[in-house]
Amino acid sequence: MRNSSAGSGLLNPLFPVSDGSYWAYTVMLLALVLFSTGVVGNLALMCIVWHNLYLKSAWNCILAGLALWNFVVVFFCLPMVVFHQLTSTRPLGELSCGLVPYLEVTSQGVATFSLCALSIDRFHAATDPGRLQMLKVEPCQSILSKLSVIWLGSLVLAAPELLLYQLMQEEDLLVVDICVSEPSVALPEGVLSVVLTYQEARMWWMFGCYLCLPLLFTLACDMVTSRSSSSSASSSTTKRKQYSREHWMRSTIMALTILYVACNLPEIVCNIALSYISVPVPDMFPVAALPAVSLISQFLLFVRCSVTPVLLLCVCRSLGQAFMDLCPGSASASFPRWTYLKHLIRDSSRRCPKDLS
């Protein structure tokens, strides 16, 4: 992969075709698939929730907020990582060196707190039967308050990532950009101490907050609500609807949790294992092993961001039906407004708020 085009100053691993170029073509093909799937899927999910009044609940808006951050990671971070992998050059220099990890960790925080919020919403739906008869449309102020807690918490907790990395360059035939996990000594003393503390505790912080917290929170809420769900399965029509809704909510949360843990667990386990190895890492593994592991962990993050909207459209019946209504080839594509009015009339018959009366 050390071939360079004449006078370009950048590595060109795609030409001429050699053993190294096969790896570059594989990375580019996988990146294109993830990029197209993530951009289309997350945009579709956000547009569905935004343009359908009967879908504007806190539950769906949390999913739309998760799709927004997944879109940001796929649209911005994925091209940056692939470009650096292929050319060993950072497009935005020092800015991308800290911004890309910051956006990635923020996306993990949004996913973590979204899973916790969805579990709380499911718990309320299981313990309060009256919520089933309520209109799905919620006030904008209530939705924004829940989203602000998720987003602000994620942005603040990931702030040290902006100051944790520095851009360094090495001369190896061409100039190679490398992001080093080493805070700048020019930072103020108080800020530098916070960043150094975060650097030392980062591995266990990622393990506890971004892996154990959503997993334990989801399992605890599932065990608590499973008892009330089992008692709701009766011959009553209302209780059958409530049990069906709880089952759908449980399937959605469990699917998101499994995908989240499966994509985050390999990186966290690998970091913990490497930290406790007594033998020096360069003596134990080949030179290209650690960069390959880092690239795989980042691609697992991109896989989660790209697969999440597809999973939601398949598991959530209301979102999937709204997506099919917008597809040109579907049978109901010619009547999207009729579908909207049908749901609105059905929900309004249960409880008509003042602003829709």
Side-chain angles (χ1 to χ4, degrees):
M1 299 178 64
R2 292 294 175 183
N3 300 319
S4 61
S5 57
S8 63
L10 293 176
L11 295 176
N12 183 13
L14 303 178
F15 182 82
V17 178
S18 60
D19 294 338
S21 63
Y22 294 141
W23 167 257
Y25 279 110
T26 302
V27 172
M28 283 197 61
L29 179 61
L30 180 59
L32 288 175
V33 172
L34 294 177
F35 185 83
S36 57
T37 304
V39 169
V40 174
N42 288 299
L43 280 179
L45 186 59
M46 288 186 290
C47 291
I48 287 172
V49 177
W50 179 259
H51 290 289
N52 290 272
L53 179 63
Y54 72 94
L55 291 178
K56 288 184 179 179
S57 63
W59 174 279
N60 291 327
C61 287
I62 290 174
L63 297 180
L66 178 61
L68 173 61
W69 281 100
N70 290 340
F71 172 80
V72 171
V73 171
V74 172
F75 186 80
F76 180 79
C77 298
L78 178 57
M80 292 286 181
V81 171
V82 174
F83 187 84
H84 176 257
Q85 175 65 27
L86 298 181
T87 64
S88 298
T89 303
R90 290 280 177 179
L92 299 180
E94 189 79 25
L95 178 62
S96 65
C97 195
L99 187 59
V100 170
Y102 175 71
L103 293 177
E104 292 176 350
V105 175
T106 302
S107 174
Q108 291 186 354
V110 170
T112 296
F113 299 135
S114 296
L115 288 174
C116 296
L118 294 176
S119 299
I120 294 175
D121 196 36
R122 185 202 165 197
F123 173 78
H124 288 163
T127 56
D128 187 7
R131 291 172 62 91
L132 184 65
Q133 284 79 28
M134 293 178 61
L135 189 64
K136 291 183 179 180
V137 180
E138 297 186 18
C140 182
Q141 183 178 3
S142 174
I143 296 175
L144 290 179
S145 62
K146 297 177 182 179
L147 291 178
S148 61
V149 172
I150 296 175
W151 290 10
L152 290 178
S154 304
L155 290 170
V156 172
L157 291 177
E161 295 285 335
L162 291 171
L163 307 174
L164 187 60
Y165 297 92
Q166 291 188 69
L167 182 64
M168 298 183 64
Q169 294 182 339
E170 291 185 357
E171 293 287 344
D172 186 10
L173 300 181
L174 289 174
V175 177
V176 178
D177 293 339
I178 301 175
C179 281
V180 182
S181 178
E182 182 179 347
S184 175
V185 295
L187 295 174
E189 184 177 356
V191 177
L192 182 60
S193 62
V194 172
V195 176
L196 290 175
T197 304
Y198 175 81
Q199 183 183 19
E200 295 178 358
R202 185 179 186 275
M203 177 183 62
W204 292 108
W205 170 253
M206 300 288 290
F207 174 75
C209 182
Y210 296 137
L211 184 66
C212 294
L213 178 63
L215 183 60
L216 295 178
F217 209 94
T218 302
L219 294 178
C221 291
D222 183 70
M223 288 188 294
V224 172
T225 55
S226 59
R227 298 179 180 179
S228 59
S229 299
S230 60
S231 61
S232 301
S234 61
S235 57
S236 175
T237 303
T238 302
K239 289 188 175 182
R240 282 203 306 267
K241 289 182 179 179
Q242 182 181 359
Y243 177 76
S244 176
R245 183 187 177 191
E246 292 173 4
H247 179 72
W248 159 70
M249 296 173 72
R250 180 179 184 272
S251 302
T252 303
I253 296 175
M254 285 299 176
L256 289 176
T257 303
I258 292 173
L259 177 63
Y260 181 81
V261 173
C263 293
N264 286 353
L265 185 61
E267 179 186 6
I268 295 176
V269 171
C270 182
N271 290 336
I272 294 176
L274 290 176
S275 64
Y276 284 96
I277 293 177
S278 59
V279 182
V281 176
D283 299 338
M284 188 174 181
F285 298 99
V287 177
L290 292 182
V293 171
S294 177
L295 181 64
I296 291 173
S297 64
Q298 285 190 307
F299 265 87
L300 285 176
L301 172 64
F302 300 143
V303 168
R304 177 183 65 80
C305 295
S306 300
V307 174
T308 296
V310 180
L311 183 65
L312 289 174
L313 292 176
C314 295
V315 176
C316 297
R317 186 166 48 188
S318 58
L319 295 177
Q321 183 60 43
F323 178 75
M324 294 303 298
D325 292 342
L326 296 177
C327 293
S330 62
S332 57
S334 302
F335 309 97
R337 296 185 178 274
W338 166 247
T339 304
Y340 157 74
L341 291 174
K342 179 179 67 174
H343 285 275
L344 183 60
I345 294 173
R346 182 193 63 186
D347 294 335
S348 299
S349 62
R350 299 175 181 174
R351 180 179 177 181
C352 186
K354 294 181 180 180
D355 55 347
L356 294 178
S357 60

